[in-house]
Amino acid sequence: EPGQEANLAIHLNNLALLMRELGRDEEAREMFRESLEIRQVVMGPRHGYTGLGHLQLGRILLDGGEVDTARPHLESALEISTETMPEGSPQLLLAQALAARLMHHDGESAAAAETLATVAAGFAAHGPHLDGLRESVERWREEALEAVAGAPP
């Protein structure tokens, strides 16, 4: 039944977030993957929650250094979030930030830093409940700026 499958996807996602918080990233990665697969079937490939599933799976892969595996998920997350989320929404901001991390990885550190500055301001506008995300974005921006400063002329 679609309603039960959607609930299963939500519960798997929540459990994955808990596993991630506990440092059990391998288990979290598999739960994010299962949740995404269910979302794609039940909600469709272009639904906002499917975009969120790509975002969460892509982020844990990117954080684990699996850039090539993360890339298609993060690209899908950005496309779907751009189509389905309002400008400035946390999901869209995070998708933009993770796309900027890919830009930094690809050597486009100055552009990445600029995007990350905009995203950090977007998170700040939401208030203190998103300070953790804003701080992560600011840390990623500093990494990009350091790469720009260290780049040969």
Side-chain angles (χ1 to χ4, degrees):
E1 185 174 316
Q4 289 177 339
E5 290 174 347
N7 284 337
L8 176 59
I10 291 166
H11 292 305
L12 277 169
N13 184 76
N14 290 341
L15 190 54
L17 291 170
L18 176 62
M19 291 294 114
R20 182 122 200 242
E21 196 170 301
L22 294 173
R24 295 166 63 177
D25 284 359
E26 186 61 39
E27 291 167 278
R29 188 175 12 258
E30 288 312 307
M31 289 176 192
F32 281 137
R33 193 177 320 275
E34 286 181 58
S35 177
L36 174 58
E37 288 172 4
I38 294 168
R39 289 173 191 212
Q40 288 174 316
V41 171
V42 174
M43 298 171 186
R46 305 304 289 181
H47 192 280
Y49 283 131
T50 303
L52 181 60
H54 280 293
L55 186 64
Q56 291 170 321
L57 179 57
R59 182 178 182 185
I60 198 169
L61 291 166
L62 185 61
D63 288 349
E66 299 178 54
V67 177
D68 292 336
T69 307
R71 187 178 301 277
H73 291 291
L74 295 176
E75 289 171 351
S76 291
L78 182 59
E79 287 176 23
I80 296 166
S81 298
T82 299
E83 292 170 6
T84 61
M85 297 290 123
E87 190 65 35
S89 71
Q91 179 174 326
L92 180 54
L93 288 170
L94 184 57
Q96 292 167 337
L98 294 173
R101 286 181 67 194
L102 287 177
M103 292 166 54
H104 171 56
H105 180 271
D106 293 343
E108 300 172 36
S109 298
E114 185 177 320
T115 298
L116 291 165
T118 302
V119 170
F123 278 128
H126 281 279
H129 70 284
L130 294 179
D131 279 352
L133 285 171
R134 181 187 49 76
E135 290 166 4
S136 292
V137 170
E138 288 174 351
R139 186 180 68 248
W140 300 333
R141 180 174 177 264
E142 287 301 317
E143 291 170 4
L145 288 172
E146 288 172 13
V148 171

